[in-house]
Amino acid sequence: MTQRLRLNKNADRRLKAGHLWIYSNEVDIKETPLKNFTAGEAALVEASNGRTLGVAYVNPHSLIAARVMSRDPEMRLDRSLFVHRFNQALALRQRLFEQPFYRLIHGEGDLLPGLVIDRFGDVVVVQLNTAGMQTLAEEIVDALEKVLKPSAIVFRNDTGGRRQEGLDAQVEVVKGTLPDEVVLEENGVRFVVPVIDGQKTGWFFDHRVNRSWLNTQVAGKRVLDVFSYVGGWGVQAAASGASEVLCVDSSGPALEQVARNAELNGLQEQVAIGEGDAFEALAALKADGEQFDVVILDPPAFIKKRKDIPNGERAYNRLNREAMRLLGRDGLLMSASCSMHLAPERLVDVVRGAARHQDRHAQVIFQGHQGPDHPVHPAIPETSYLKALGVRVFRD
C-alpha cells in the first residue's frame, strides 16, 4: 500500500503551477510525519483537502522532501514509466542532432527529477543524484537497455548532490564493457572523453551551441582557453582556424587529454598546454607580456549555494579583470558561468565592471545559454543555469 504525503494548506500552489519539488516545511507532518518514510520511497501526494495531486518519491532527510514523478495518481514508478520518458526525451534529441552525442536526460527538464544521463554513442553515463533515483536504479538500467541497447552503462554516482541526500559515492560500469577510448564528435571535432575519472559525466554538452558560435570568430587568432578541461573550447578553436591555442588547467590528467584530443584531430602543432591555477597563470602570462586575440573563461561554479554569492561574484569579477588584461587592443572575451545563483544580468555587470576597470569599452555581441538537450522546465528556474557572453573589448 503506497503511503500518502499530505501538504499544508496552500502548499500546493507551486505544484499546480507545474513545479515538481515539495519542501519539508510544506508537508503536514501531523497528518503524514516525514519520519514514517524511508529515503527513496514512493508516495501519493495530496492537497490539504485530501485531493490527490500525483506520485512522488520522498526523502525525509532532505530539504526537498519529495519530487513529483507524475501527475497521474495511478502511475507506478517502474520500468515502463522510464521507458516512456526515455522515448519522449530521445525523440527530442533525434530531432535536434544528427549524431548520438548529447544529454539524453536533464533531470527536472525531462520530468525525471534527480536523474542525469549523457549519451556518447553506444556508451551512456548515468548520474543518480537523489535517493529516489538510487532506489529505482535497476528500473533505469532495464529501461535504457530497452530504449537504447547501449554497449556499456556507467554509473557516475560521485556528485555533491548525493552527499546531501545521504548517499555514498560510487563509480562503476554496471552493464557491458567500456571501450579503451570513448569518443564523441561535437561541431565536427572528435574528442576522447574520460567517462570514469573526468569531471561530471566526462564531458560538458551544455556549451555546444556557444562553442559553435565562438568557432566562427577565431580564424587566424591567438586563443587562450582558461579552465580548459579536456579542450572542448580550445581544440575546437584550433580546428576552426585559430593560429595558436594555449589551454590552461590545474589538472594534469585533463591536460593530457587536451594533447590527446589535439592529436586526434591533427592539431598538435596549434595547441599548447599549461598546467596551473587559473589566477596564477593569468598573472604569469601578463608578467611575461603575453597577449591574445581571444580569451575563453569557462570556470567551475564559484557559487554553489546562495550564501556563496558575495564571494563568488568577487571571484568572477577578478577572473574577468585578469583575463581582459591579456586581450589586445580589439579582443574577444568569452565569459561563461554555470552558477545557477549568478543571474544573467550579474554576469553582464561583471564584464562591464572588468572593462571599466581596464578603461576599455565592452560590447556584448553574443548571449548564450545551455543547449537544447538541456531543456528548461518553465516552472523550475533552477533548470536554467548556464550563461555565456561573447564580449568585444576594445580601446578608443
Side-chain angles (χ1 to χ4, degrees), residues 191 203 207 211 214-215 218 222-238 242 244-250 254-255 258 271-276 278 281-282 285 292-299 319 323 326 332-334 336:
F191 292 89
W203 183 255
H207 269 306
R211 287 193 275 251
L214 188 71
N215 294 345
V218 296
R222 188 164 195 244
V223 177
L224 173 64
D225 179 9
V226 189
F227 305 100
S228 70
Y229 184 44
V230 298
W233 294 91
V235 175
Q236 285 189 40
E244 206 181 317
V245 178
L246 174 60
C247 289
V248 173
D249 201 275
S250 60
L255 290 171
V258 172
V271 179
I273 57 176
E275 186 175 343
L282 290 170
L285 288 165
F292 297 87
D293 304 300
V294 179
V295 177
I296 302 156
L297 299 177
D298 184 17
L319 182 67
L326 291 168
L332 179 66
L333 175 70
M334 174 56 86

Side-chain angles (χ1 to χ4, degrees), residues 25 32 39 62 64 78 126 133 171 199 211 260 281 285 318 345 347 382:
N25 64 357
T32 55
S62 173
I64 302 172
D78 59 12
V126 179
M133 285 301 173
V171 178
Q199 292 178 26
R211 287 193 275 251
R260 173 77 187 96
L285 288 165
R318 183 180 158 212
E345 61 272 18
L347 186 58
E382 292 86 352

Side-chain angles (χ1 to χ4, degrees), residues 20-22 55-57 62 64-69 108 113-114 130 165:
L20 304 177
W21 295 355
I22 298 163
V55 186
Y57 62 72
S62 173
I64 302 172
R67 299 178 199 238
V68 175
M69 290 282 280
E108 284 78 355
T130 56
E165 288 271 315

